[in-house]
């Protein structure tokens, strides 16, 4: 009796799972057997709901919050640079000396436009520490202390927002993605069972569906096995400390 081979859908990444399910759905739509349409429609509905959830995850509230704080931080960073540069020409000699020290520090930290959000957090954290190393009295004297303190506050708020975003993503993966993936798998299993029994009765379209699905799933199983093997045989990875 023809049947569809078993594969560990849970071991697939989200985009990988989405691609496999899409191909299976396209194959299932070629089944012309009476009674198959309700199973196919349930599969299509489950697949579309899963895809909509995956796509909407790119626009969720935690991501927007992190993005907005990152934009605010970048803007404020450039304002701080301008203030430090102006302080380097302060008319008061003592303030000017402090301003020149601060400006020399800023010059070591150029634009953050080409680094990612977390790298920008590290860069600005180092800048703040270096700026405070010249002394709070010096920063106060040149009028820059309040600016450095505010830059530090925004930078720390970014880290908190990023942690909350990661927490939300983790729960979304467990509670929503996996639930919707399971629904999609269950819908496919119903079609697979239907096709199995119809093919045994001589239905050609169901037999073709099983053959097509098995050919694709065999290739996918081989790919997944190679991926696991390459992980197990890879040499020990030495993680270098990230300078942030």
């Amino acid at each position: 009796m023809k049947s569809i081979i078993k594969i560990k859908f849970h071991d697939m990444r989200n985009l990988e799972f989405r691609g496999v399910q899409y191909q299976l759905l396209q194959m299932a739509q070629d089944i012309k057997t009476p009674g198959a349409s309700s199973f196919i429609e349930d599969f299509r509905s489950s697949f579309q709901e899963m895809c909509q959830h995956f796509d909407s995850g790119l626009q969720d509230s935690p991501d927007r919050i992190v993005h907005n704080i990152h934009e605010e931080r970048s803007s404020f960073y450039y304002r701080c640079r301008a203030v430090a540069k102006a302080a380097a020409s302060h008319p008061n000699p003592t303030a000017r000396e402090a301003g020149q020290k601060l400006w020399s520090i800023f010059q070591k930290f150029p634009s953050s436009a080409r680094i990612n959000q977390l790298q920008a957090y590290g860069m600005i954290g180092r800048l703040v520490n270096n700026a405070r190393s010249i002394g709070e009295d010096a920063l106060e004297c040149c009028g820059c202390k309040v600016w450095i303190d505010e830059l530090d506050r925004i930078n720390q708020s970014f880290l908190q927002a990023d942690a909350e975003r990661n927490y939300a993503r983790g729960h979304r993966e467990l509670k929503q993605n996996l639930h919707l993936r399971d629904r999609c798998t269950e819908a496919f299993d119903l079609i697979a069972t239907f096709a199995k029994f119809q093919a045994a009765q001589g239905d050609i379209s169901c037999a073709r569906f099983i053959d097509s699905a098995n050919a694709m799933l065999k290739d996918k199983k081989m790919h997944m096995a190679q991926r696991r093997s390459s992980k197990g045989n890879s040499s020990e990875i030495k993680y270098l400390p990230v300078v942030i």
Side-chain angles (χ1 to χ4, degrees), residues 47-194:
F47 177 76
Q48 289 176 344
E49 184 180 4
M50 179 189 71
C51 291
Q52 288 171 0
H53 178 75
F54 285 173
D55 294 340
S56 68
L58 300 175
Q59 303 296 328
D60 64 1
S61 179
D63 279 331
R64 284 200 301 271
I65 292 172
V66 170
H67 174 75
N68 291 341
I69 294 176
H70 176 62
E71 290 295 311
E72 178 190 6
R73 178 179 61 185
S74 297
S75 175
F76 197 81
Y77 165 73
Y78 287 111
R79 291 167 63 191
C80 283
R81 281 181 65 90
V83 170
K85 186 176 182 179
S89 302
H90 199 287
N92 181 281
T94 304
R96 182 167 62 249
E97 182 183 359
Q100 289 172 347
K101 290 180 180 178
L102 182 61
W103 175 235
S104 68
I105 291 172
F106 267 93
Q107 288 178 305
K108 297 175 183 177
F109 294 89
S111 170
S112 61
R114 296 187 178 183
I115 60 178
N116 65 40
Q117 294 175 346
L118 280 175
Q119 286 174 327
Y121 167 79
M123 186 200 81
I124 290 177
R126 293 200 311 276
L127 185 149
V128 168
N129 289 337
N130 288 355
R132 285 174 173 164
S133 70
I134 69 175
E136 292 199 358
D137 290 341
L139 290 175
E140 192 75 60
C141 178
C142 66
C144 294
K145 183 178 182 302
V146 64
W147 291 87
I148 295 299
D149 288 346
E150 180 62 10
L151 182 61
D152 185 37
R153 185 197 67 77
I154 296 173
N155 202 36
Q156 295 306 319
S157 68
F158 165 83
L159 188 64
Q160 178 64 30
D162 183 63
E164 291 172 358
R165 174 176 63 176
N166 291 335
Y167 179 81
R169 281 177 173 174
H171 278 252
R172 183 171 66 244
E173 172 69 18
L174 292 173
K175 293 182 178 180
Q176 295 297 327
N177 288 7
L178 294 181
H179 170 69
L180 294 173
R181 282 175 56 146
D182 284 344
R183 280 194 57 191
C184 202
T185 300
E186 290 166 4
F188 167 71
D189 285 343
L190 289 175
I191 292 179
T193 301
F194 175 85

